Amino acid sequence: MTRRYLILMGAPGAGKGTQAARLAQEWELCRISTGDLLRAAVAAGTSLGQRAEAIMASGDLVSDGLILELVEEELDRESCSRGAVFDGFPRTLEQAIGLGDLLERRGCAVEQVIVIEVPDSEIVRRLSERRVCESCEKLYHLSFDPPGDDGRCTACGGGLRRRPDDEPDTVLRRLEVYREQTQPVIDYYANERGASQTGVATVDGSRSIDEVASDIRERLAVVEAER
Ligand code: AMP
């Protein structure tokens, strides 16, 4: 069975996590979110977590070597035996090239890159109202997906807080980092297309979660039909 590897790209707050979780479930793939893996390492106080914490809080990127090690470990898990949806990775050209090497060694390649586009003003608005449950990490948006009347997590009753990297100054830095370091990754996949067989599709992420999901599904159906 050929493993399938999809990449969801987009600025922070574009909705990659939400869409990646849906896709992974529908396609029975694992979701590899480097942001989630790093947050888990920070929460567990591992040496990686200790090194990553301050970098994450500033909005800068953790080193490519550490990220590629994390991803390689995930790729070989049983839960990823059918392939994976990458969320928040690759974020630099080095990571994209490193991922290509990791997959090539396994006889695979990236099949499709989906770019979720959202204007910066909307990103800032979304992230400033984003809250996360301190216990189960469920995400809320104070206007669009609010918690219960008591202001607590509807899933587990935990308290909500703003993620440190959703503070306004850090959001601006994350957008800058996205433009400088991650945008070239999209160009890389678009230009490599002929050689690597990787398709790149852009979707408008400023619509509802369901609309964006069905747009992504349509794009992937085309890919599926061409396989
Ligand atoms: P995210 O939840 O994907 O927005 O990631 C939160 C933070 O974790 C980022 O701002 C980075 O500091 C770090 N991070 C997550 N993924 C990566 C990656 N692929 N490369 C480098 N740093 C990352």
Side-chain angles (χ1 to χ4, degrees), residues 34-35 38-39 56 60-62 67 88-89 91 95 163 165 174:
T34 43
L38 290 169
R39 278 183 287 279
M56 293 170 75
D60 283 325
L61 296 182
V62 173
I67 295 289
F89 169 87
R91 259 175 153 101
Q95 291 179 19
R163 252 171 55 179
D165 55 351
R174 288 166 72 198

Side-chain angles (χ1 to χ4, degrees), residues 178-201:
Y178 179 75
R179 254 189 304 275
E180 284 169 4
Q181 306 203 47
T182 309
Q183 195 71 44
V185 177
I186 299 173
D187 302 337
Y188 165 79
Y189 283 117
N191 295 332
E192 291 290 297
R193 185 176 183 156
S196 72
Q197 305 291 314
T198 302
V200 179

Side-chain angles (χ1 to χ4, degrees), residues 56-75:
M56 293 170 75
S58 72
D60 283 325
L61 296 182
V62 173
S63 82
D64 295 325
L66 286 179
I67 295 289
L68 285 165
E69 266 178 46
L70 263 184
V71 168
E72 179 160 27
E73 220 173 275
E74 292 301 304
L75 281 181

Side-chain angles (χ1 to χ4, degrees), residues 3 5 30 32 74-84:
R3 295 178 176 204
Y5 294 97
C30 72
I32 300 183
E74 292 301 304
L75 281 181
D76 294 329
R77 288 192 197 284
E78 178 58 31
S79 57
C80 295
S81 60
R82 292 171 56 91

Side-chain angles (χ1 to χ4, degrees), residues 36 98 193-194 220:
D36 282 357
R193 185 176 183 156
L220 291 175

Side-chain angles (χ1 to χ4, degrees), residues 91-120:
R91 259 175 153 101
T92 64
L93 272 181
E94 287 71 16
Q95 291 179 19
I97 292 165
L99 173 63
D101 291 343
L102 287 178
L103 295 183
E104 196 179 343
R105 271 188 253 141
R106 289 160 177 80
C108 308
V110 174
E111 182 176 314
Q112 182 73 26
V113 177
I114 305 270
V115 185
I116 306 180
E117 278 194 343
V118 176
D120 281 6

